[in-house]
Structures are given as C-alpha cells and as structure tokens.
C-alpha cells in the first residue's frame, strides 16, 4: 500500500502548558490579590499573565506598598497562608498537566482514567487490577488514534507503557469481532514475545482472550497444534512465523485485522527485512498496522516496508532520549582493570538487582563464572543457550533467587523487569540506539534507576558518539583507585578459575561442534542444504548481530 505522510501529534509539555498552568493559578478568584504578592515575592519564578503589561504590574506593586503599612499582623498571616495554598494548588496541577493532551480549542484536558480515552469498562477494570492508576503520555496520545482505526507510528521512552498502548485498542476491537488469528504481534527477541503474550493475557483475561507464542528454539509440532486452535492473538518472532507460514498445512493469516511491530526499528532493519517482506506478502492488505519503539527510524524506505496507510505519528520523546529518573554515570579506566572495577561496583551495589551487558556470548559465561566464584549470585543469558535455559535464567532473575543477570543484547530490548536497580555496561554498546535500550531496563514506569558505563582507552570515540546522540554530557562515577585495586588479587584468582572452567567446557563439548561453526551458527556441524537455511532464520530470533 502507498504510504501517506505521517501526521504528527505531540504532548504539550512545553512553554504553552507552563503558561496555561500559570494563568490558571493567577485567575483563582478568591486569591487574586494574594497572587500579585506571590509574584512579587517569587520574582523570576512566575511569568506575567499573557496580556498584562509590565507598567500595570509596577502600579499594582506601588499600591500594595502604600496599603502595606495599614495592615494588621493577623491579616499578614492570612495572606501567607493564602500564598501557600496557591503554591500547593500549582504543584498539584503540574502532575495533572504531564498527561494532558490538547483539546480542539487548544485547552488542556486532564486525562485521569482509561475510560476518558474511550476504553471499555471490562478493560478499564483489568487496568485497575494490574495497578495502572492513570494513562501514561504515550497511552493518552496513541489509544484514541488507534480506536479511530488509524495506523500508528509511536515513539516513547523505555518503560512508558507502550505494550498496553497497542494491546488495549486490539482487545477492544476483538470484543466487537471475536475471530481466531485476529491480531499478530512481531517481536525481535523470544523473551520479549513471551512478555507481550503475558501482558495480553493479563489485560484480556476478563474477555477470554487466547494467545499463542511462536518463537524459535521450541518444538514446531507443539506450536502447530497451538496454531490449529486458532488463538485470537499471535505473538511471534519473524523467523519462526515464516517457517509455519511455509510449512504448516492449514495455517494462514487471511483473517488478520491487526499487525503490530514492537521494537519496529529493529524489525525493519536489514537482518529481518527479507523475512518481513515475505510475511507481508501473505497477510491481508486491508489491516491496521502499529509500529512502536523507543528509537524509531526516520528512513522512509524502511517505513514503506511495513505497508502503512496514512499513519499518524505519535511522539512523546525525542529520537534519542532516556527517562529523567535515570542517573547515568561512566567510569574511565585502563582495559586491564576492567574486571576489577566490575567486582568493585558489584560490592558497592551488594544486594541490589543488576543487569551487566557484554558484547559476546563467551563473555557472559566467563563473567557469570567469575562472579559466582567470588560469591555473587550471577546467571548468564545469551542467544546460544537453549530456549528453556534462557527462560529459566530469566525466571530466576525475576523471582530474586539470582540478583545479577549477565547478558548480551538479547536482553536489551523490551524486557520489563521492574525491580532492576542498576544497569552496568561492561562492554560499551556499539551504537546509541542499543545504549538507550540497554539503560532502559532500569528506571521503568516512573521508578528511579542507575546506569554505569565502563569506558576504556579503546572506547573513547564510541562513548563520545553516544553522548552526542543523547545531547548531554554524562558525569563520571567517583571511585578511588586504591579502594578498587584491593580486589585485584582475588579477581585475578577468579579469572584463572573461570578460564580453566571455560576450557574444560569447550573440551567436553568436543571438536565436532567447533568444526561445525564455520558451516552454520550455533555449532551444529554437518547440517547443510535446506536445513542450513532454516538454522539461519532461527538465528535471526536471537536478536544478536
């Protein structure tokens, strides 16, 4: 389908909202006189009301000074109390305006519930049960547009409630037209697919929604049986979905009404592009399409691949931005002391929940062994683990039996683990998008969080590029070198132990698997022809480059 121009809708968090807020405070009838005294006592804080001249303000100030001598102490106390009341009211209004869209007349409309957005009662009740007290800015902006039946391109910060923003309109439409294979959600990683499915089932439990997760690494036959039951919502990774479209008899997406691409910029890049093109050819052209991400691509040719029809672009953050509740720091250190500084940080954040990001699969395993040797509860997560092992590692981390997750970028996108206190970039992200998604694993849904990036002499240029994309300088984390190097001896011993165990593990697996690595990813040598193509497609689901 031809792509129409993307219309922009932005939340009013800028100067217009501030002026509206302040003018509202100024015009409270019973405190009109007190507000003038408030302006005088808080010069430089409140701006003049639009239309009020400077000379009028000065005249009012003179009148107040002339009358000031005749006032009693009790009157002055009453005025002070009135001033406090105005300030309190002002603070209360600020929090309301943060989620207020503009009405047709340009006035701010406070949205305090999902009901006001047009969401039906049973789904509003589900939101309350899940603890969603009021809609987030992205939900305020995108849900009404989606309920109107328009295509949506949505850009919002990590942890801002994007899953519910596309799930609620789909569930409401499903209630009106309950058919099998009604919606399909595509995700770049397997873990994110399971998480989205859980969210759909939690929100749609009251209306009896049925979901199926179709990802690589799981048994094809079991998945075929699940597809035969015609679930309402299908959550899939692109590689395995295409496998079923090509090989599973009787399975098609002819009845599909909604297509969602979560982490859309990742799905529309060159890795998933050819697979996505094949999927889009076999699904109906008349459908609703939603693209959601924290870092959306602006390249027209990539968006055309999604076959959008006159989409509305909804933005509540810039292309590269992190949440305000996230404290970002960096450590500039020599490469040889990298592990020592990591152990120092783990000691500093003892008892807290931490995700450590590394660049390679081998490094996740090595660091997990090293940290366990030193008494820390660490568990690895990477794309070369079996799917059951990956889910097991994630569940251990979520349940709290392990408080340190050492992961590759397979865990960088979409995973919602509210309890994460800190993210540590042991290996710096290769681009600013990945950095934003990594640090977005903490400070979610209004909570505070911390991220620390370990920068060596080889990472300086990369780090400066990330700072440039963010548009701000990241402060340095204060650490005394002598306090850090106390750990050197024990870390050296743990490094040797980890290297020894890694060698033993490699020998145990045998040389056969190693030889197969050149012929196909994942180390299963000897598989060629059609099978090799299938392996490569499953590898896409790992979300690793």
């Amino acid at each position: 389908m031809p792509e129409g121009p993307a219309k922009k809708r932005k939340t009013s968090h800028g100067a217009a909202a501030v002026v509206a807020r302040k003018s509202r405070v100024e015009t409270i009838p019973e405190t009109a006189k007190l507000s003038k005294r408030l302006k005088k006592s808080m010069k430089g804080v409140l701006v003049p009301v639009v239309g009020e001249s400077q000379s009028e303000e000065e005249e009012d100030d003179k009148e107040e000074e002339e009358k000031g001598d005749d006032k009693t102490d009790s009157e002055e106390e009453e005025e002070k109390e009135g001033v406090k009341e105005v300030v309190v009211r002002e603070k209360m209004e600020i929090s309301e305006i943060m989620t207020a869209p503009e009405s047709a007349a340009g006035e701010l409309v406070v949205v305090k519930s999902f009901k006001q957005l047009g969401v039906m009662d049973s789904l509003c009740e589900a939101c309350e049960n899940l603890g969603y007290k009021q809609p987030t800015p992205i939900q305020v902006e995108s849900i009404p547009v989606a309920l109107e039946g328009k295509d949506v391109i949505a850009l919002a910060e990590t942890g801002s409630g994007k899953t519910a923003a596309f799930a609620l309109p789909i569930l409401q439409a499903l209630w009106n037209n309950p058919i099998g294979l009604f919606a399909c959600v595509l995700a770049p990683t397997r873990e994110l697919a399971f998480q989205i499915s859980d969210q759909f089932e939690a929100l749609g439990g009251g209306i009896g929604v049925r979901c199926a997760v179709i990802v690589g690494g799981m048994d094809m036959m079991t998945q075929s049986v699940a597809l035969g039951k015609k679930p309402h919502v299908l959550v899939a990774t692109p590689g395995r979905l295409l496998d079923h479209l090509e090989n599973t008899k009787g399975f098609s997406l002819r009845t599909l009404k909604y297509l969602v691409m979560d982490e859309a910029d990742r799905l529309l890049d060159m890795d998933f592009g050819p697979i996505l093109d094949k999927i889009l050819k076999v699904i109906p052209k008349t459908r609703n399409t939603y693209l959601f991400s924290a870092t959306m691509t602006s390249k027209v040719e990539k968006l055309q691949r999604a076959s959008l029809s006159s989409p509305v672009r909804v933005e509540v953050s810039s292309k590269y931005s992190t949440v305000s509740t996230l404290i970002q720091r960096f450590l500039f250190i020599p490469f040889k002391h990298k592990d020592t500084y990591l152990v120092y940080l783990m000691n500093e954040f003892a008892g807290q929940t931490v995700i450590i990001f590394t660049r390679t699969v081998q490094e996740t395993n090595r660091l997990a062994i090293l940290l366990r040797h030193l008494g820390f509860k660490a568990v690895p997560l990477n794309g070369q683990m079996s799917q059951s092992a990956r889910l097991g590692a994630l569940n251990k981390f979520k349940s709290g039996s392990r408080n340190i997750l050492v992961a590759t970028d397979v865990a960088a996108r979409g995973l919602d683990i509210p309890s994460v206190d800190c993210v540590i970039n042991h290996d710096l992200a290769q681009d600013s998008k990945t950095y934003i998604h990594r640090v977005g694993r903490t400070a979610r849904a209004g909570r505070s969080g911390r991220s620390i990036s370990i920068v060596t002499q080889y990472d300086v240029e990369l780090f400066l590029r990330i700072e440039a994309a963010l548009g701000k300088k990241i402060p340095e984390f204060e650490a005394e070198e002598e306090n850090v190097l106390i750990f050197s001896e024990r870390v050296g011993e743990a490094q040797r132990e980890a290297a020894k165990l890694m060698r033993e593990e490699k020998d145990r697996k045998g040389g056969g698997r190693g030889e197969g690595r050149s012929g196909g990813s994942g180390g299963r040598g000897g598989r060629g022809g059609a099978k090799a193509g299938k392996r490569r497609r499953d590898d896409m689901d790992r979300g690793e480059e």
Side-chain angles (χ1 to χ4, degrees):
M1 269 190 192
E3 181 201 357
K7 306 165 194 169
K8 289 198 176 184
R9 286 166 58 96
K10 292 195 179 183
T11 51
S12 301
H13 295 172
V18 175
V19 171
R21 165 171 58 81
K22 289 171 183 173
S23 63
R24 196 184 309 174
V25 174
E26 295 291 344
T27 53
I28 298 172
E30 69 271 18
T31 56
K33 191 182 286 184
L34 294 175
S35 64
K36 291 173 187 174
R37 291 183 64 81
L38 176 64
K39 284 189 288 179
K40 185 182 173 185
S41 62
M42 298 176 68
K43 279 185 181 176
V45 177
L46 290 176
V47 297
V49 179
V50 176
E52 184 178 344
S53 66
Q54 191 65 31
S55 59
E56 287 175 351
E57 277 190 11
E58 288 173 1
E59 286 174 12
D60 290 340
D61 288 346
K62 283 178 185 175
E63 284 177 14
E64 291 293 332
E65 284 172 9
E66 287 171 6
K67 292 178 183 176
D69 298 332
D70 303 329
K71 292 187 179 178
T72 62
D73 293 340
S74 60
E75 284 176 342
E76 285 181 2
E77 284 176 12
E78 285 175 10
E79 286 182 359
K80 285 178 183 176
E81 286 175 6
V83 169
K84 287 177 186 174
E85 186 183 347
V86 173
V87 174
V88 168
R89 289 189 189 187
E90 184 186 47
K91 286 181 179 177
M92 287 170 66
E93 287 173 348
I94 292 171
S95 62
E96 292 173 350
I97 289 171
M98 288 304 288
T99 55
E102 285 189 33
S103 67
E107 298 173 354
L108 291 172
V109 180
V110 177
V111 178
K112 291 187 177 179
S113 69
F114 287 94
K115 181 79 173 171
Q116 287 176 265
L117 298 178
V119 178
M120 63 190 220
D121 292 338
S122 58
L123 292 176
C124 289
E125 189 181 335
C127 291
E128 285 176 22
N129 294 338
L130 290 171
Y132 301 166
K133 294 177 182 174
Q134 67 180 55
T136 62
I138 185 63
Q139 291 163 356
V140 168
E141 290 292 301
S142 62
I143 289 176
V145 176
L147 289 174
E148 288 171 15
K150 296 177 181 175
D151 287 1
V152 177
I153 301 172
L155 175 68
E157 297 159 336
T158 54
S160 58
K162 291 189 288 294
T163 307
F166 64 73
L168 290 170
I170 289 173
L171 291 170
Q172 186 149 324
L174 178 64
W175 174 256
N176 298 324
N177 183 20
I179 58 172
L181 299 173
F182 182 77
C184 176
V185 183
L186 295 177
T189 64
R190 302 171 187 179
E191 287 71 28
L192 179 54
F194 280 101
Q195 182 179 290
I196 292 168
S197 174
D198 291 343
Q199 190 90 352
F200 264 97
E201 287 174 349
L203 286 168
I207 62 172
V209 70
R210 288 180 286 111
C211 296
V213 181
I214 306 299
V215 296
M218 307 292 274
D219 181 48
M220 285 273 291
M221 191 54 66
T222 308
Q223 291 177 349
S224 299
V225 171
L227 290 172
K229 293 178 181 176
K230 297 282 192 292
H232 299 122
V233 179
L234 186 63
V235 188
T237 48
R240 183 50 67 92
L241 178 62
L242 184 57
D243 274 346
H244 281 287
L245 285 168
E246 290 177 347
N247 303 318
T248 302
K249 287 184 180 179
F251 171 61
S252 74
L253 293 174
R254 285 193 298 270
T255 59
L256 194 72
K257 304 295 181 189
Y258 285 84
L259 175 69
V260 182
M261 296 185 197
D262 199 11
E263 305 299 343
D265 58 318
R266 179 77 180 88
L267 288 171
L268 292 168
D269 68 14
M270 290 307 292
D271 286 349
F272 289 105
I275 298 172
L276 210 58
D277 289 340
K278 290 179 182 177
I279 293 171
L280 290 170
K281 281 177 185 174
V282 297
I283 61 176
K285 302 292 183 197
T286 52
R287 63 170 191 275
N288 289 103
T289 307
Y290 302 151
L291 308 186
F292 278 76
S293 186
T295 51
M296 187 62 72
T297 181
S298 57
K299 293 183 180 176
V300 177
E301 61 271 18
K302 286 189 178 181
L303 294 176
Q304 281 176 340
R305 181 174 270 152
S307 303
L308 295 162
S309 173
S310 302
V312 176
R313 188 179 179 97
V314 177
E315 295 181 352
V316 294
S317 69
S318 63
K319 187 177 178 183
Y320 297 107
S321 67
T322 53
V323 292
S324 56
T325 52
L326 175 66
I327 301 166
Q328 301 177 72
R329 295 289 184 269
F330 79 93
L331 263 173
F332 185 56
I333 60 166
F335 180 80
K336 64 178 181 180
H337 294 316
K338 212 172 177 183
D339 289 349
T340 309
Y341 271 86
L342 177 67
V343 172
Y344 168 78
L345 290 173
M346 290 297 94
N347 208 50
E348 288 290 298
F349 302 128
Q352 295 188 24
T353 312
V354 181
I355 298 181
I356 301 168
F357 281 104
T358 68
R359 195 169 295 147
T360 65
V361 169
Q362 189 174 1
E363 192 71 353
T364 60
N365 295 327
R366 187 187 72 82
L367 282 180
I369 295 168
L370 183 145
L371 291 170
R372 282 202 294 259
H373 184 76
L374 293 170
F376 296 103
K377 294 179 179 178
V379 62
L381 176 67
N382 59 64
Q384 286 189 6
M385 295 164 66
S386 67
Q387 187 57 36
S388 57
R390 284 164 71 166
L391 290 173
L394 208 52
N395 288 334
K396 283 178 185 175
F397 183 64
K398 283 182 176 179
S399 66
S401 63
R402 299 286 185 277
N403 70 320
I404 299 171
L405 183 71
V406 189
T408 55
D409 288 333
V410 75
R413 282 182 180 258
L415 289 187
D416 184 27
I417 306 168
S419 59
V420 176
D421 300 307
C422 182
V423 167
I424 295 176
N425 288 309
H426 183 262
D427 293 326
L428 206 58
Q430 292 299 289
D431 56 74
S432 48
K433 276 188 181 182
T434 306
Y435 174 84
I436 287 165
H437 285 283
R438 280 183 178 188
V439 300
R441 296 317 97 211
T442 185
R444 298 181 70 80
R447 299 177 180 85
S448 61
R450 181 189 293 272
S451 77
I452 299 172
S453 298
I454 297 177
V455 182
T456 69
Q457 65 268 37
Y458 308 115
D459 304 320
V460 174
E461 188 182 345
L462 195 54
F463 183 69
L464 291 174
R465 281 209 302 269
I466 290 170
E467 280 190 329
L470 292 173
K472 64 180 179 183
K473 290 288 180 186
I474 297 174
E476 190 168 1
F477 183 83
E478 298 295 332
E480 292 291 334
E481 190 176 359
E482 12 189 90
N483 294 341
V484 176
L485 296 180
I486 292 169
F487 297 97
S488 290
E489 192 176 335
R490 287 203 63 201
V491 170
E493 183 187 325
Q495 284 173 330
R496 289 188 292 274
E497 185 66 24
K500 178 185 168 187
L501 288 172
M502 293 280 285
R503 277 196 304 272
E504 288 175 1
E505 180 70 14
K506 190 177 178 182
D507 293 341
R508 188 174 62 79
K509 286 181 177 178
R513 291 177 73 92
E515 289 168 14
R517 292 179 74 86
S518 59
S521 181
R524 298 193 181 184
R527 294 194 178 193
K531 292 277 186 184
K534 212 173 271 188
R535 284 298 306 164
R536 281 196 295 275
R537 192 176 296 144
D538 270 353
D539 290 341
M540 293 289 188
D541 295 341
R542 291 176 179 166
E544 294 177 2
E545 295 176 10

